């Protein structure tokens, strides 16, 4: 694999969710913290696509905002590789909600021109107009659409505008925070194909965040499964879909609807994600895990690499596949 | 923001907008707008045609005093609405007085808007200590009745000003007194809306581009908070005129040498029982028309800009 565009090591983020000072004093409550991201490490291959998947509230979006710098990490490091211009890459972002990510009072032209003006990428008004037209064409809209307001577009078109705005900064690294979850299925495919095409044409690197396993399968080279702020399994896409090891990954794959066999016999596991305010002891997945035992409740499993390139944090997998375990070395160690 | 060169002009867009359509369909709004326009224009062009300058003692003649309106017996040209006990033409006094009332109303709304929007944006955007400090100051001001604040301020400032400046500074004192209690409402509205908007993704997109906070507040967030502010400002313009009139009526507003509508009502009030009803009635009518037209316009604006009533 090539040099990683982004290497993240032991990244954590705590949120202070305490009640206001006066309430704490009166009700004698301690300060409360929410551990949204808990000691995660991964690397995104340059020109590739790493997907983070998991249920709502598992910390995916927090990772996205940490990587782009909207949040500051509580702990850990993020290392961006140098871009074409020799400076470290800066991440741009495509947001989840195409209705909230475009300022409703601004014309599309001004929305896309803002990065150009702000980062002084184009000098004159004529150059800006030309570049905005170019960007609109790239994402499949017409230059004259710049005159309109965001509310004149459909969700899919808005997401195209959002992509055009992100592309205006000439980024090499894009963080996509569930870019298709607000769109209906036929439009999702269009947007995903657009993003794939742009990746091929411009050599973009994606950190893709989603809860939709089929979308992730279409987009990514590597998948990292998150549960309650931790990565529980990371593997190449084919490996993960062919041979999911962590019980949680297996659960996620079970939830993908199957067109050919919609009534197939599924082992549906009940339960919801526990509150990240009070994460369960040991392996945080143990209350929902069908294979859990006393050790899972007591001891937090460490990340373990296996010979097929996957990394899993699970006691059961470690016990049954001990023969296939490989030490975490080199780049793999760094990204462990 | 520069707009794409081929966009329709502001005038064309106004003509096509929902707001203009709703305006033309609402008779009371059109009526109020026309009435308000007539009142404001007549007040500001008064020096061109008013029979006398009521502020200039040299133009007042005592033998013209106590003339009733022109349609009553004893009425005289050019004193259409009669004169007061000093020989001051009521119509001229009303026109000049409205000018002062309107100016004080506009000035206090503008200053209250500036302070309210500025502090509301800062409180909503930064949160934390800034928010607490600004909003608690506002809470304290809101817990005291407006009139009481105004009385306190005008009494204190009047004492601080040298006697020569007291009459000149009266308008400024009034504006200060009204602004002090008026900005809180704007600040609260803007703060609440800003706190919602700053979490939206378009603000995060701007933050990613390292757009300075001040520019994010004013060019991204502010336009999205303006709708309720516009309604509040219109209604408060009427309120400010009324507060000014109240203070002047209580004798702590505009001095008799530069009477506003409130001052005229106070002066005329003394002669109500001596049969000279015209001295007080016409300023009261003018004040009513002014405030009613502003409020009608504000009511229409509130409904027209409320998406739930469309």
């Amino acid at each position: 694999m090539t040099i990683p565009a982004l290497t993240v090591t032991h990244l954590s983020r705590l949120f202070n969710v305490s009640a206001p000072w006066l309430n704490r004093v009166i009700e004698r409550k301690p300060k409360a913290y929410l551990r949204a991201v808990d000691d995660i490490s991964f690397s995104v291959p340059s020109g590739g696509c790493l997907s983070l998947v998991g249920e709502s509230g598992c910390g995916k979006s927090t990772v996205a905002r940490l990587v782009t710098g909207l949040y500051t990490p509580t702990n850990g490091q993020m290392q961006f590789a140098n871009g074409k211009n020799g400076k470290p890459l800066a991440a741009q972002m495509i947001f989840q909600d195409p209705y909230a990510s475009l300022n409703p009072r601004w014309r599309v032209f001004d929305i896309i021109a803002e990065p150009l003006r702000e980062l002084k990428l184009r000098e004159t008004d004529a150059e800006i107009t030309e570049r905005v037209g170019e960007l609109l064409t790239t994402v499949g809209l017409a230059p004259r659409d710049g005159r309109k307001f965001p509310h004149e577009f459909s969700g899919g078109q808005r997401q195209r505008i959002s992509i055009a705005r992100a592309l205006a900064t000439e980024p090499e690294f894009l963080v996509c925070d569930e870019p298709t979850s607000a769109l209906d299925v036929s439009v999702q495919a269009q947007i995903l194909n657009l993003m794939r095409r742009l990746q091929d044409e411009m050599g973009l690197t994606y950190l893709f965040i989603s809860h939709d396993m089929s979308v992730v399968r279409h987009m990514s080279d590597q998948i990292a499964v998150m549960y309650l702020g931790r990565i529980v399994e990371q593997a190449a896409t084919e490996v993960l879909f062919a041979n999911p090891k962590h019980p949680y990954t297996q659960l996620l794959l079970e939830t993908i609807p199957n067109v050919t066999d919609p009534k197939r016999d599924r082992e549906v596991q009940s339960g919801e994600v526990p509150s990240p305010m009070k994460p369960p002891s040991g392996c945080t997945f143990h209350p929902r895990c069908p294979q859990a035992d006393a050790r899972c409740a007591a001891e937090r499993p460490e990340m373990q690499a296996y010979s097929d390139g996957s990394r899993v944090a699970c006691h059961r997998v470690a016990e049954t596949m001990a023969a296939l375990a490989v030490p975490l070395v080199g780049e793999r160690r760094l990204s462990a | 923001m520069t707009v794409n060169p081929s966009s329709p002009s502001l005038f064309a867009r106004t003509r096509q907008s929902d707001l203009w359509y709703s305006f033309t369909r609402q008779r009371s709004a059109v009526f109020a707008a026309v009435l308000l326009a007539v009142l404001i224009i007549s007040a500001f062009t008064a020096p061109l045609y008013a029979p006398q300058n009521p502020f200039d003692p040299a133009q007042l003649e005592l033998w013209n005093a106590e003339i009733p309106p022109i349609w009553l017996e004893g009425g005289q040209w050019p004193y259409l609405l009669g004169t007061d006990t000093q020989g001051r033409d009521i119509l001229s006094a009303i026109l000049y007085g409205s000018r002062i009332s309107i100016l004080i109303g506009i000035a206090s709304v503008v200053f209250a808007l500036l302070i309210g929007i500025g502090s509301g944006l800062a409180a909503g955007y930064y949160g934390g200590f800034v928010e607490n400090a600004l909003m608690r100051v506002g809470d304290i001001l809101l817990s005291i009745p407006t009139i009481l604040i105004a009385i306190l301020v005008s009494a204190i400032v009047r004492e601080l000003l040298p006697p020569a400046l007291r009459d000149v500074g009266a308008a400024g004192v009034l504006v200060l007194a009204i602004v002090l209690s008026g900005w809180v409402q704007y600040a609260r509205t803007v703060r609440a809306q800003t706190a919602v908007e700053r979490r939206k993704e378009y603000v995060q997109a701007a933050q990613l581009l390292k757009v300075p906070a001040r520019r994010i507040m004013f060019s991204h967030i502010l336009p999205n908070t303006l709708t309720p502010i516009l309604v509040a400002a219109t209604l408060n313009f009427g309120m400010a005129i009324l507060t000014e009139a109240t203070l002047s009526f209580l004798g702590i507003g505009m001095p008799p040498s530069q009477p506003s509508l409130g001052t005229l009502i106070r002066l005329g009030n003394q002669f109500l029982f001596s049969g000279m009803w015209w001295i007080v009635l016409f300023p009261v009518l003018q004040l009513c028309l002014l405030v009613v037209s502003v409020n009608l316009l504000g009511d229409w604006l509130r409904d027209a800009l409320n998406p739930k009533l469309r």
Side-chain angles (χ1 to χ4, degrees), chain B residues 21-265:
Chain B
Y21 177 77
S22 133
F23 178 73
T24 51
R25 297 300 296 269
Q26 185 89 31
R27 288 228 183 109
S28 66
V30 177
F31 169 74
V34 170
L35 180 60
L36 190 62
V38 168
L39 290 175
I40 291 178
I41 291 169
S42 65
F44 282 90
T45 53
L48 300 177
Y49 58 82
Q52 56 172 225
N53 178 358
F55 298 166
D56 182 3
Q59 291 188 22
L60 308 183
E61 307 290 356
L62 263 181
W63 59 78
N64 285 334
E66 302 181 19
I67 299 175
I70 196 156
W71 61 89
L72 293 181
E73 198 176 332
Q76 267 179 41
W77 183 262
Y79 308 113
L80 283 175
L81 301 178
T83 61
D84 68 3
T85 51
Q86 308 289 314
R88 184 151 45 190
D89 175 38
I90 298 289
L91 180 62
S92 308
I94 286 175
L95 291 174
Y96 278 79
S98 307
R99 196 164 63 156
I100 292 177
S101 291
I102 292 168
L103 278 179
I104 289 178
I106 291 175
S108 50
V109 166
V110 166
F111 285 115
L113 271 178
L114 288 179
I115 300 174
I117 288 177
S119 54
L121 277 176
Y125 190 77
Y126 292 112
F129 175 74
V130 182
E131 179 174 23
N132 280 328
L134 284 170
M135 290 301 116
R136 289 307 83 77
V137 171
D139 285 348
I140 293 169
L141 285 175
L142 269 195
S143 68
I144 311 172
T146 312
I147 295 290
L148 201 59
I149 296 181
I151 292 174
L152 277 173
V153 169
S154 54
I156 294 170
V157 177
R158 206 167 290 242
E159 280 310 305
L160 294 178
L161 282 176
L165 283 177
R166 276 186 197 159
D167 279 5
V168 186
V173 173
L174 274 175
V175 171
L176 180 69
I178 300 172
V179 166
L180 258 188
S181 53
W183 68 271
V184 185
Q185 191 193 351
Y186 305 119
R188 288 186 152 190
T189 318
V190 173
R191 185 205 65 88
Q193 197 74 25
T194 304
V196 173
E197 296 292 328
R198 75 149 177 191
R199 290 184 179 83
K200 288 202 178 156
E201 290 170 342
Y202 72 86
V203 174
Q204 295 181 355
Q207 286 169 341
L208 267 185
L209 295 170
K210 309 270 188 295
V211 179
R214 196 165 37 85
R215 192 120 42 93
I216 292 182
M217 282 189 254
F218 283 99
S219 63
H220 279 281
I221 297 178
L222 183 60
N224 288 300
T225 63
L226 274 185
T227 307
I229 286 302
L230 197 62
V231 176
T234 313
L235 291 171
N236 275 8
F237 175 53
M239 281 303 298
I241 291 176
L242 271 185
T243 310
E244 185 279 326
T246 312
L247 291 172
S248 296
F249 182 78
L250 293 174
I252 45 176
M254 297 304 290
S257 57
Q258 282 178 311
S260 71
L261 288 176
T263 321
L264 290 175
I265 296 169

Side-chain angles (χ1 to χ4, degrees), chain A residues 20-325:
Chain A
W21 175 79
L22 196 61
N23 299 32
R24 278 206 317 274
V25 171
I26 293 171
E27 294 162 22
R28 295 174 188 282
K29 277 186 188 160
K31 284 196 162 191
Y33 292 98
L34 187 150
R35 193 171 279 273
V37 174
D38 187 6
D39 192 14
I40 69 168
S41 304
F42 61 86
S43 62
V44 187
S46 187
C49 175
L50 173 79
S51 288
L52 290 177
V53 295
E55 283 163 288
S56 311
C58 71
K60 304 177 302 250
S61 293
T62 308
V63 173
R65 281 163 174 71
L66 286 167
V67 167
T68 50
L70 284 173
Y71 294 162
T72 48
T74 312
N75 258 319
Q77 284 89 43
M78 293 179 299
Q79 182 72 47
F80 281 99
N82 287 342
K84 285 173 197 146
N85 58 6
K87 288 186 208 149
L89 300 172
Q92 273 302 314
M93 192 156 170
I94 298 171
F95 292 92
Q96 173 174 9
D97 182 356
Y99 293 87
S101 63
L102 305 174
N103 189 338
R105 301 270 166 171
W106 282 32
R107 285 173 193 283
V108 169
F109 178 89
D110 291 315
I111 291 174
I112 299 175
E114 187 183 30
L116 302 175
R117 291 181 176 133
E118 209 50 53
L119 302 174
K120 309 224 168 18
L121 296 173
R122 292 290 184 277
E123 295 292 323
T124 62
D125 277 355
E127 282 173 351
I128 290 178
T129 313
E130 190 195 329
R131 174 72 175 144
V132 171
E134 209 176 281
L135 286 163
L136 280 168
T137 318
T138 310
V139 296
L141 296 168
R144 65 171 184 281
D145 287 330
R147 256 177 280 153
K148 298 181 190 163
F149 283 98
H151 68 256
E152 297 175 60
F153 294 92
S154 69
Q157 287 171 321
R158 282 160 177 251
Q159 206 56 296
R160 288 172 191 268
I161 296 167
S162 197
I163 294 172
R165 171 178 61 191
L167 292 179
T169 60
E170 291 156 32
E172 292 167 60
F173 191 97
L174 271 183
V175 177
C176 316
D177 184 9
E178 309 208 27
T180 57
S181 64
L183 309 175
D184 58 39
V185 181
S186 59
V187 181
Q188 279 189 13
Q190 293 173 12
I191 297 295
L192 292 174
N193 289 333
L194 169 67
M195 291 175 64
R196 286 286 294 263
R197 202 191 79 215
L198 293 173
Q199 184 176 28
D200 293 343
E201 286 172 5
M202 303 180 181
L204 298 173
T205 306
Y206 286 136
L207 175 63
F208 194 89
I209 289 165
S210 182
H211 59 253
D212 186 334
M213 293 304 279
S214 33
V215 166
V216 162
R217 185 174 203 171
H218 183 73
M219 287 298 292
S220 39
D221 310 316
Q222 287 268 322
I223 297 176
V225 180
M226 279 187 80
Y227 187 75
L228 274 186
R230 296 180 190 171
I231 292 180
V232 295
E233 176 165 1
Q234 183 178 353
T237 308
E238 323 82 67
V239 175
L240 189 107
F241 275 89
N243 183 15
K245 296 182 189 66
H246 196 282
Y248 181 62
T249 314
Q250 291 165 1
L251 167 69
L252 277 184
L253 293 185
E254 283 283 311
T255 62
I256 303 175
N258 188 335
V259 182
T260 49
D261 184 14
K263 295 201 171 93
R264 74 191 191 279
D265 197 19
R266 285 190 294 180
E267 253 184 75
V268 179
Q269 270 137 14
S270 62
E272 286 180 15
V273 186
S275 160
M277 298 275 303
K278 284 183 214 138
S281 59
C283 172
T284 48
F285 187 58
H286 84 263
R288 294 170 75 188
C289 180
Q291 304 167 28
D293 63 8
R295 188 185 170 202
C296 297
E299 194 186 323
R300 177 174 167 175
E302 290 302 318
M303 204 52 129
Q304 172 65 53
Y306 295 94
S307 53
D308 59 358
S310 62
R311 297 185 302 131
V312 186
C314 178
H315 292 311
R316 275 304 82 67
V317 177
E319 286 159 11
T320 51
M321 296 181 56
L324 293 169

